[in-house]
Amino acid sequence: MTFQIRRLALPAMGVSLLLAGCASSAPPLSFYTLGTPNGPAAASLPSLSAHTPTVQIARVVLPDYMDTQDMVLRDQEKIVRSDKGRWATRLSVGVTDLITNQIALSHPDELITDQPVPEAATWRVQINISRFDIDTHGQAILDANWSVLPADMKQPIVKQRAHIVTSGSVSSDANVASLMRKLVVILAGQINSSLPS
């Protein structure tokens, strides 16, 4: 009986060692964000009141294949996933956060948020990104449209779109993250310019 147990245990140990060897040879994963939030210290911000205008940024809509934690490049029709890098959150969450932070920098006297608000926001911003590609040669393209919806139904709805093209190095996941951040910052600036004053 002891001999049979040993015969079964040896192959199981071999498989365990093989799996452990494979795991140790895999490159370590690095996790990326679209950048460090920058802005004034909370202590220097003006206090908010019940009459403070509120801009609510809805979660950005991305193509399904992009809205993951995978960092990807496009090689013509093929999507190539990085084996060493991942986004720290789903990409739509990171893009929404960066756009919100960038717009908030220009509006210190207003509440710019991507979180639910208890009352109707003065303006709601809905953003759809239909293309957000960086190819293996470093060309980066972002196509987006957005709407600014006022709480006051007498005011017009603002509708805009953008086609943004830039380029840069894609030699590392950090370079890819930096290039994607650049696209989103440009988009945030265009959205900010379309907000009613």
Side-chain angles (χ1 to χ4, degrees), residues 1-193:
M1 187 65 130
T2 305
F3 177 70
Q4 284 181 333
I5 292 172
R6 281 190 191 155
R7 271 183 49 194
L8 293 172
L10 286 175
M13 284 176 53
V15 170
S16 297
L17 290 173
L18 180 63
L19 290 174
C22 290
S24 65
S25 65
L29 275 178
S30 295
F31 290 88
Y32 294 87
T33 65
L34 283 171
T36 306
N38 50 3
S44 67
L45 291 172
S47 58
L48 302 177
S49 73
H51 305 292
T52 299
T54 304
V55 178
Q56 184 180 25
I57 312 291
R59 183 162 164 180
V60 173
V61 176
L62 286 170
D64 286 345
Y65 75 92
M66 291 292 299
D67 195 16
T68 69
Q69 285 185 259
D70 294 335
M71 296 187 75
V72 299
L73 291 175
R74 179 179 287 280
D75 184 5
Q76 296 181 12
E77 290 81 24
K78 184 169 64 172
I79 301 298
V80 182
R81 185 181 79 170
S82 170
D83 59 353
K84 295 178 285 193
R86 296 283 182 276
W87 294 112
T89 64
R90 291 181 72 94
L91 188 55
S92 60
V93 174
V95 170
T96 305
D97 188 49
L98 179 55
I99 289 173
T100 303
N101 287 332
Q102 289 296 121
I103 292 175
L105 289 174
S106 301
H107 300 271
D109 295 329
E110 298 178 15
L111 175 61
I112 314 295
T113 182
D114 55 10
Q115 301 300 311
V117 291
E119 298 176 354
T122 314
W123 296 283
R124 287 185 301 114
V125 181
Q126 296 177 334
I127 306 160
N128 300 304
I129 294 178
S130 56
R131 184 176 182 189
F132 194 10
D133 284 336
I134 298 179
D135 69 20
T136 52
H137 302 292
Q139 184 181 46
I141 299 174
L142 188 153
D143 290 328
N145 62 76
W146 65 93
S147 300
V148 181
L149 309 166
D152 181 355
M153 301 300 288
K154 295 176 185 174
Q155 294 186 27
I157 296 174
V158 176
K159 293 184 179 181
Q160 294 286 346
R161 62 183 173 192
H163 174 73
I164 304 165
V165 180
T166 188
S167 61
S169 171
V170 291
S171 61
S172 70
D173 291 328
N175 291 141
V176 172
S178 177
L179 194 50
M180 293 182 84
R181 175 185 167 80
K182 183 177 179 181
L183 285 171
V184 176
V185 168
I186 294 169
L187 175 62
Q190 294 190 20
I191 294 170
N192 186 46
S193 297

